Structure formats: C-alpha cells, structure tokens
Amino acid sequence: MTSPAHPANAHPYLRAANAGVRHHTRGLAPSDTGPPPPADRLHLDVLHAHLTTVHQLLDRLAETTRPPHPAAGRHLAAAHTRLWQAASEVHAAFHLLPSSTTAGTESSTCRPERLPEGPPVLTICQRHLAAGHVVRRKTTPSDLRAHTTACAR
C-alpha cells in the first residue's frame, strides 16, 4: 500500500494524535490563572500508554524499513530503544507520585512479585512489562545504556 501523494492527507490518525499532544502541551503552559498543576498518576499513565504505542509503531517501522534501507532501519531501531528508555522513566516517575489511596507510602512502588493495587497501577505495570519483553528480545544491554551526546559548543 502506498501513501497518498499529498502530505496533508497522509496518516490521519497520527496527525490527530500529534494535534492532541500539542493541545495538551499548550494546556500545560503557565497562564494568568497561575501555574498548571503538577503531573498526577493518571496523567503519567495516559502518557505511558502513548509512549508504548509509539514504541510499537517504531518497532514495526524498523522491521519493515531495515531490509530495503538498512541505515534508515538502524536509526529507527535506535529511536525504538530511546523511546523505551523514555517510557521506562515515565513508569518510574509514576511510582514516585503519591496515589489517592496511599498518599506516598511504600505500597505505591512497583512490585513484580505481586499484583499492583489496581487501576491505574495494574494497567501501567502490565503495559510496561509487555513492552519490556519486546525490548529484551530485540536489544542488547549495551543498547539500553544511557544515550549521551557530546555538546558541540
């Protein structure tokens, strides 16, 4: 299947998702009514869902692009890994925020040996675990090390 010739008509669902993220970002900008509230667990759960969905998309794009265009496929695979790192950090931040029921006690931490206390913890942990299986299957530990770039200034 080929993409439409005009970019304005290409991938309408991705364009809508982009518009939603841009709208949300503008909504978090400081205004005359004061600063926006800090992130809460529900907010990070939704963001984590978005990141893991884009992570799956990059995985598929890397797989289909690599055979005909190896260099581009390697860059998409690297983006896939970096996006996993971002999702992992959002997951960690989620567990550092207090929940409405535990008010920051230790019961809000991720414990793989037992089920989390329920939504949204149950959903974010399950989603993160599923994405982690894909990452471990397709990357090496050295790929997952923190990515740093030198500043050219």
Side-chain angles (χ1 to χ4, degrees), residues 57 72 86 97 150:
L57 175 62
L97 290 176

Side-chain angles (χ1 to χ4, degrees), residues 72-126:
R74 282 191 301 274
H75 281 285
L76 290 172
H80 172 260
T81 301
R82 302 303 171 246
L83 194 57
W84 163 252
Q85 290 169 331
S88 189
E89 294 299 327
V90 169
H91 178 250
F94 174 92
H95 286 294
L96 293 174
L97 290 176
S99 72
S100 57
T101 58
T102 59
T105 62
E106 278 196 78
S107 65
S108 66
T109 59
C110 188
R111 291 195 176 105
E113 71 275 3
R114 67 176 178 82
L115 286 176
E117 68 255 25
V121 178
L122 182 62
T123 54
I124 192 172
C125 291
Q126 286 178 333

Side-chain angles (χ1 to χ4, degrees), residues 22-151:
R22 278 193 311 271
H23 175 74
H24 187 70
T25 302
R26 281 190 303 269
L28 290 174
S31 66
D32 295 338
T33 60
D40 59 10
R41 291 180 119 197
L42 184 58
H43 190 172
L44 293 185
D45 180 45
V46 172
L47 180 59
H48 186 270
H50 184 78
L51 289 173
T52 54
T53 301
V54 175
H55 181 258
Q56 289 172 342
L57 175 62
L58 272 173
D59 182 38
R60 292 197 181 126
L61 285 172
E63 283 180 3
T64 59
T65 303
R66 188 171 281 172
H69 307 287
R74 282 191 301 274
H75 281 285
L76 290 172
H80 172 260
T81 301
R82 302 303 171 246
L83 194 57
W84 163 252
Q85 290 169 331
S88 189
E89 294 299 327
V90 169
H91 178 250
F94 174 92
H95 286 294
L96 293 174
L97 290 176
S99 72
S100 57
T101 58
T102 59
T105 62
E106 278 196 78
S107 65
S108 66
T109 59
C110 188
R111 291 195 176 105
E113 71 275 3
R114 67 176 178 82
L115 286 176
E117 68 255 25
V121 178
L122 182 62
T123 54
I124 192 172
C125 291
Q126 286 178 333
R127 184 184 323 111
H128 197 69
L129 184 63
H133 285 298
V134 172
V135 169
R136 283 189 295 281
R137 206 174 63 241
K138 296 185 177 206
T139 58
T140 66
S142 63
D143 291 336
L144 295 175
R145 275 194 228 125
H147 178 67
T148 58
T149 55
C151 182

